[in-house]
Amino acid sequence: MRKKFIGGNWKMNKTVVEAQTLARRLADRLSDVGFADIAIFPPFVDLYPVNIILREKESKIILGAQNMHPEPNGAYTAEISADMVLSTGAKMVVLGHSERRHIFLETDSYINRKVKKALDSGLLPLLCIGELLDERNAGKTEQVLSKQLNGSLKDVKLNSADDIIIAYEPVWAIGTGVTATPEQAQEAHKFVRKVISEMFGEDIAKNLRIIYGGSVKPANAKELLSQLDIDGAFVGGASLDADSFESIIRDSDISI
Ligand code: 13P
């Protein structure tokens, strides 16, 4: 059984004080949660201050960064290395988010370098993939997902399914209020698992967590999370508010 994973991508939101306030609230409310892994991804400047709160509260919430640079150090103004991310207390890193791909023009081969560096450094990557609306309408969803997976994970060595988490985030569903239907999401997740099986073998594919992102909110979380191949959610807007993020997390408890 794959344990559910619920991530909150705060994107470019929350000052240091705001981030600490939200982290404190989440740590207090979610201390009883054992049925799912919970992670939050604040902006870089908030990572260390948020880590202080999570440690103070002895919280199990996992801390992650939203990006990193593949090189270990050097003249890369405004970039952040894997070791710098780790030094804040973060254990995970989001790579290949659609906003990085489409606004900042990151390519699969660049993302591939980051995935390898993250794994080498001991950071758990949360790799994001997803098609544009035009690509879906042209019937190219599977082709796009396959290309992104093959490109981003080229020559990557996975020792176990716990080495990486994949987020399927259809670009047309991100921040738009339009969610993929549970059937559309399930179909894409099943396909992703098939590609992973071809690349890394059945055992890894069976145990790897594939989470869904794109306008997940309390009103639609339960149905999405009950699909066979949907192992969690990657939540943007609704993770900025403790009430809605908590509600989504509690909806991932399939025992009730
Ligand atoms: P929204 O939940 O705001 O659509 O964002 C999803 C997302 O991009 C998570 O990474």
Side-chain angles (χ1 to χ4, degrees):
M1 253 272 282
R2 299 180 295 264
K3 190 177 185 182
K4 291 276 194 276
F5 178 98
I6 311 290
N9 179 3
W10 295 5
K11 307 193 178 184
M12 196 174 74
N13 295 287
K14 307 288 179 193
T15 62
V16 169
V17 171
E18 290 166 350
Q20 287 188 309
T21 303
L22 179 54
R24 195 174 289 116
R25 236 172 242 161
L26 293 173
D28 284 341
R29 288 168 178 225
L30 300 168
S31 58
D32 64 308
V33 173
F35 50 82
D37 288 329
I38 303 165
I40 52 175
F41 299 86
F44 286 127
V45 292
D46 298 336
L47 288 173
Y48 185 68
V50 164
N51 188 48
I52 292 173
I53 303 293
L54 296 179
R55 296 288 71 78
E56 253 171 39
K57 298 273 179 190
E58 295 180 13
S59 175
K60 292 192 295 284
I61 296 174
I62 303 161
L63 185 64
Q66 298 174 14
N67 188 22
M68 55 162 248
H69 194 273
E71 291 300 322
N73 55 261
Y76 300 98
T77 299
E79 291 293 329
I80 308 281
S81 72
D83 282 349
M84 289 156 69
V85 168
L86 281 163
S87 74
T88 67
K91 304 274 187 267
M92 292 189 67
V93 62
V94 178
L95 298 175
H97 190 275
S98 77
E99 285 143 25
R100 301 302 313 173
R101 290 175 186 269
H102 299 292
I103 304 173
F104 300 98
L105 306 180
E106 291 192 12
T107 60
D108 283 321
S109 65
Y110 186 48
I111 296 161
N112 179 243
R113 286 172 57 207
K114 298 188 192 201
V115 171
K116 287 174 180 160
K117 181 65 189 171
L119 288 170
D120 280 351
S121 306
L123 276 168
L124 172 65
L126 173 46
L127 173 68
C128 304
I129 55 169
E131 81 287 358
L132 297 164
L133 186 57
D134 283 354
E135 292 166 336
R136 173 163 282 267
N137 289 340
K140 291 189 174 150
T141 299
E142 294 192 349
Q143 198 181 315
V144 171
L145 297 180
S146 177
K147 184 171 162 286
Q148 289 177 341
L149 285 168
N150 278 284
S152 308
L153 295 174
K154 186 167 186 280
D155 299 327
V156 165
K157 307 248 175 316
L158 297 181
N159 294 316
S160 92
D162 293 331
D163 283 357
I164 197 163
I165 296 175
I166 309 259
Y168 168 62
E169 302 204 296
V171 182
W172 47 274
I174 296 179
T176 58
V178 181
T179 324
T181 64
E183 295 73 27
Q184 283 173 322
Q186 164 58 25
E187 195 186 358
H189 281 232
K190 193 174 167 195
F191 177 75
V192 170
R193 206 176 294 289
K194 184 176 132 232
V195 176
I196 293 294
S197 174
E198 284 157 12
M199 293 181 75
F200 298 101
E202 215 176 298
D203 198 42
I204 285 191
K206 198 173 67 202
N207 294 303
L208 182 109
R209 288 182 288 185
I210 305 169
I211 66 174
Y212 170 81
S215 297
V216 176
K217 23 185 193 274
N220 59 28
K222 210 175 181 103
E223 219 185 339
L224 285 160
L225 290 164
S226 64
Q227 301 299 309
L228 203 61
D229 286 291
I230 301 186
D231 306 314
F234 198 22
V235 187
S239 74
L240 298 173
D241 171 75
D243 284 341
S244 53
F245 194 50
E246 178 180 7
S247 163
I248 292 166
I249 290 163
R250 300 219 177 264
D251 277 345
S252 74
D253 185 358
I254 43 172
S255 66
I256 52 171

